[in-house]
Every structure is written in structure tokens, then in C-alpha cells.
Amino acid sequence: MRHSPSPAAPRRSEQIDTLRAIACISLVAFHVVGSSSGSGLELDPRHWMARANLALVDLRMPLFSFLSGMVLPALTGPLWPQIAKKARRLLLPMATVGTAFWLTRHAMGYEQIPLTQIFWMPFAHFWFLQATFLI
């Protein structure tokens, strides 16, 4: 017997889930394959994986931004509780994991921006959480 969702439960869309999968796979591929900044596998730019990675450069982050907007509820009711909830879901993890990431890189001798700046300046890949919060 197949269970159907209750009327109050939001229905999942296969198309949106497929877009989420494409966005996730392209992001993981970007970090694995790397970029010209000396990260990842540092493949030859003519390698098919490097070319595929480059082909998705203009799709990857806009797709994530679009999907982030799809899962945000409509703003109804008092604004400040909603802002606090978004800050807790986006900025608290950014500050916690960003600080741990900064401290790890600092211990390894990487040159980077001062620790106090990571909370309001774009830092590594955590910039996306700040941008999503602002949007």
C-alpha cells in the first residue's frame, strides 16, 4: 500500500530534486577537478573533465541561488523572527565552520584575511552563505 502525503505536507518535485542533484554534482566536481587557482586535481585545461567543469561555471552558483529561493518560505508575519531564523540557519554555521576552517588553514601556515574579517567579508567558499542570507 502506497502512503500518500498529507494535504499539509509539501510535495517534492522530481524536477527540482533533479536540479538539486545537478547543482550538487557540479559543485563537488568543481572542487575535485579544481580551478586555475591551484586547487583540486589541477588537470590540464584540455582534459575533458576540466572542460566540463569550465562549461558549468556560469550555471553552478546561479542554480544554487535559484534553488535556495525555491526552498525559502514566503515572508509572512513579523520580519525580525524570520531574519533571526535565517541567521541561525545560515550565518551561525558560516561563523562556526568558517572559524574552524580559518584556524585550520592558519595552523597550516596559509596566508589569509584576519579572522575578524571572515564574518563580514567574503571568505573561501563560505561567501555563498553570506550572499544567500542577504538575498
Side-chain angles (χ1 to χ4, degrees):
M1 183 166 135
R2 187 172 179 189
H3 174 69
S4 61
S6 68
R11 293 182 351 163
R12 293 192 64 120
S13 165
E14 287 185 24
Q15 290 86 0
I16 298 300
D17 285 345
T18 301
L19 287 174
R20 285 184 182 123
I22 291 169
C24 287
I25 290 168
S26 69
L27 182 63
V28 169
F30 171 74
H31 288 289
V32 170
V33 171
S35 62
S36 61
S37 62
S39 63
L41 296 174
E42 297 183 25
L43 296 175
D44 184 304
R46 295 171 295 186
H47 192 279
W48 72 269
M49 287 174 54
R51 288 179 187 231
N53 196 31
L54 184 60
L56 293 171
V57 73
D58 292 326
L59 173 71
R60 195 173 14 256
M61 294 316 289
L63 182 58
F64 264 102
S65 296
F66 171 75
L67 293 172
S68 295
M70 296 281 301
V71 299
L72 294 176
L75 294 176
T76 58
L79 187 60
W80 286 113
Q82 293 180 55
I83 291 173
K85 183 178 177 182
K86 292 299 171 202
R88 189 173 59 250
R89 290 183 63 213
L90 295 168
L91 298 181
L92 184 60
M94 187 258 334
T96 305
V97 178
T99 299
F101 185 76
W102 189 95
L103 290 170
T104 301
R105 288 177 52 88
H106 180 73
M108 296 173 68
Y110 285 92
E111 187 175 324
Q112 50 197 5
I113 64 174
L115 177 60
T116 55
Q117 289 185 7
I118 72 169
F119 304 109
W120 65 83
M121 298 291 293
F123 173 62
H125 48 283
F126 302 105
W127 68 267
F128 187 70
L129 293 171
Q130 293 167 318
T132 302
F133 176 77
L134 292 174
I135 291 170

